[in-house]
Amino acid sequence: MYNKKLVFFSSCLGMLLFGVTLITLGSVAPELARKFDLSKIASGTLFSIMPFGVLMGSFFFGPFCDKYGYKYLLVFSAFLIFIGFEGIAYATDFSILRISVFLFGLGGGAINGATSAVVADITEKDKYANLSLLGVFFGIGALGMPFVLALFESVVDYQVVVAAVGLLALLASVFYMLIAFPLPKHVNGSPIRRSFSLLKDHVLIFIAFFLFCQSSFEAIINNWTTSYLIAQVGVTPSKALYGLSLFVVGMTAMRLLTGSLFRDVKTQKLLMASFLFLLFGCFLLNTTNYISAVIGLVFIGAGLAGGFPIMLGMVAARYSDLSATAFSMVLAVALLGNMLVNYMMGIVAQKYGIHNLITVAFMEIVAMTILAVLIFKFQKTKSAI
């Protein structure tokens, strides 16, 4: 029998690792470029490997967890992250580095999905609240890694820091091996066969595309805000990075509030507040004033905080006997949105100017609002699977 508190703690550890995973490559990119004498094209290729690995991990984890349970996937995923950390730290060959980055992403994508799914499985009510608390640890990981690297920058080489943080992933792998998790749901059947019927559920499709927009919104803010602030507001790179960090703070703080003080608030009201935060944040960001822009980023972070926890909570409640596979499907679509819209934003910025970041953001808000209306309108009609 598993211990719910222990499983929840282990999931928070995994989500923290995922936050660290997503931010590490970008944080050490300049050092890697110098070490391997990488051109801009080579660096871009390296960055493209990471989301591909995350996408593969997101596709794989769901059917595996529904068939075999969470334990061994979490053990293996944490170990892959450990290998990725050590490879990024100590690889001397560029091919080894690319393999390490892929394994890094693969383990991160799988551990992200599996920890979210297992928290939803062990939560009987208010699933979105516990998923919000889980998301807080993603923020801690994403904020913590650059801070640790900066703290030890003048003391030790970045390789030592990355390798040392990698030991946390190894300890997590051992920890997962020692504790019990919920039993598999489909020991005698294949969840892959049943998963095709998920495509018939309009609500699940709407949720998948809502998360497509949510993930791509997060991507354009994470990847293009610093360029926007430098070009439009005229700030230094360090101030731009500070503004971006406050975006993550806004998201993390709102998820903490959602999982605690706002736990009993209905999801429709939370999403309505989220859209208002996003609109207000985008209006404030559309400025040449640094303080206004930073406040806008905090509101945008708060507005994006609820999307994943609320929608994944709805998926888990709708497909309790196939939750991991359903999570796998919607998270894969979300990651495709992250990759495609981020690439399209690059084209828009190059051809028409970085100021169009605000236009793309407003388009995302409109699309998410329409999809949310459709989701809540049709969510009571559950398709048979």
Side-chain angles (χ1 to χ4, degrees):
M1 184 64 182
Y2 64 90
N3 182 302
K4 286 187 178 181
K5 291 183 179 180
L6 202 56
V7 171
F8 183 75
F9 171 78
S10 72
S11 299
C12 292
L13 176 59
M15 189 58 72
L16 184 144
L17 282 173
F18 181 60
V20 173
T21 298
L22 283 192
I23 207 71
T24 293
L25 189 60
S27 300
V28 300
E31 287 81 2
L32 291 174
R34 284 193 293 269
K35 179 180 178 180
F36 291 95
D37 192 24
L38 301 179
S39 65
K40 295 293 185 183
I41 295 176
S43 295
T45 302
L46 191 64
F47 279 119
S48 68
I49 294 172
M50 176 80 173
F52 181 69
V54 174
L55 182 62
M56 292 298 293
S58 300
F59 269 122
F60 173 74
F61 88 87
F64 185 94
C65 289
D66 280 335
K67 175 69 175 177
Y68 301 106
Y70 294 99
K71 186 183 186 76
Y72 295 110
L73 182 125
L74 287 171
V75 170
F76 185 61
S77 297
F79 189 71
L80 286 181
I81 294 174
F82 164 69
I83 293 175
F85 269 116
E86 304 312 307
I88 290 171
Y90 295 124
T92 56
D93 181 82
F94 187 58
S95 297
I96 300 293
L97 178 63
R98 287 186 292 185
I99 294 171
S100 299
V101 169
F102 173 75
L103 295 178
F104 202 48
L106 182 66
I111 211 167
N112 170 51
T115 52
S116 298
V118 74
V119 166
D121 280 355
I122 65 174
T123 305
E124 295 179 3
K125 63 177 183 178
D126 299 330
K127 294 179 185 292
Y128 73 91
N130 279 353
L131 287 167
S132 292
L133 289 177
L134 179 69
V136 169
F137 288 85
F138 170 83
I140 293 172
L143 286 169
M145 189 60 182
F147 175 78
V148 170
L149 285 166
L151 183 65
F152 290 98
E153 183 179 14
S154 60
V155 181
V156 295
D157 192 84
Y158 82 94
Q159 296 170 303
V160 176
V161 178
V162 172
V165 175
L167 293 177
L168 178 64
L170 181 61
L171 290 174
S173 182
V174 174
F175 180 59
Y176 292 142
M177 181 65 75
L178 296 176
I179 67 172
F181 287 90
L183 295 173
K185 302 186 186 79
H186 296 275
V187 177
N188 298 318
S190 172
I192 296 178
R193 294 178 182 177
R194 296 186 62 200
S195 65
F196 288 110
S197 61
L198 298 176
L199 299 174
K200 300 177 183 178
D201 184 359
H202 294 343
V203 174
L204 197 67
I205 300 300
F206 291 147
I207 289 174
F209 280 98
F210 180 96
L211 294 180
F212 179 101
C213 297
Q214 166 86 22
S215 182
S216 59
F217 203 147
E218 292 180 19
I220 62 172
I221 296 299
N222 278 321
N223 295 319
W224 295 100
T225 291
T226 51
S227 299
Y228 175 87
L229 292 176
I230 293 169
Q232 296 298 117
V233 184
V235 301
T236 61
S238 60
K239 279 192 173 183
L241 287 171
Y242 176 73
L244 181 59
S245 68
L246 287 179
F247 159 74
V248 181
V249 170
M251 177 181 287
T252 304
M254 189 62 188
R255 282 180 173 169
L256 183 60
L257 290 171
T258 302
S260 53
L261 293 180
F262 301 153
R263 196 177 189 90
D264 297 325
V265 178
K266 291 184 177 180
T267 53
Q268 293 95 324
K269 291 183 178 179
L270 286 172
L271 270 185
M272 185 181 298
S274 296
F275 295 144
L276 291 175
F277 284 156
L278 288 174
L279 284 171
F280 185 57
C282 286
F283 277 119
L284 289 177
L285 186 59
N286 188 23
T287 182
T288 56
N289 182 276
Y290 178 66
I291 299 300
S292 174
V294 167
I295 295 172
L297 284 169
V298 173
F299 272 97
I300 291 172
L304 289 172
F308 272 101
I310 289 172
M311 291 301 161
L312 292 179
M314 292 175 64
V315 171
R318 197 170 180 85
Y319 294 101
S320 58
D321 65 331
L322 207 64
S323 57
T325 301
F327 271 37
S328 191
M329 172 184 163
V330 298
L331 288 175
V333 174
L335 284 163
L336 285 173
N338 185 306
M339 297 164 67
L340 291 174
V341 177
N342 189 52
Y343 176 75
M344 290 172 61
M345 183 63 225
I347 297 175
V348 170
Q350 183 173 339
K351 289 190 174 182
Y352 306 106
I354 189 63
H355 64 278
N356 284 292
L357 174 69
I358 302 298
T359 303
V360 176
F362 277 123
M363 292 171 64
E364 296 269 28
I365 296 170
V366 171
M368 290 167 70
T369 303
I370 293 172
L371 287 165
V373 170
L374 292 171
I375 289 165
F376 286 110
K377 179 179 180 180
F378 294 108
Q379 68 170 328
K380 294 181 181 179
T381 58
K382 181 171 181 177
S383 300
I385 61 173

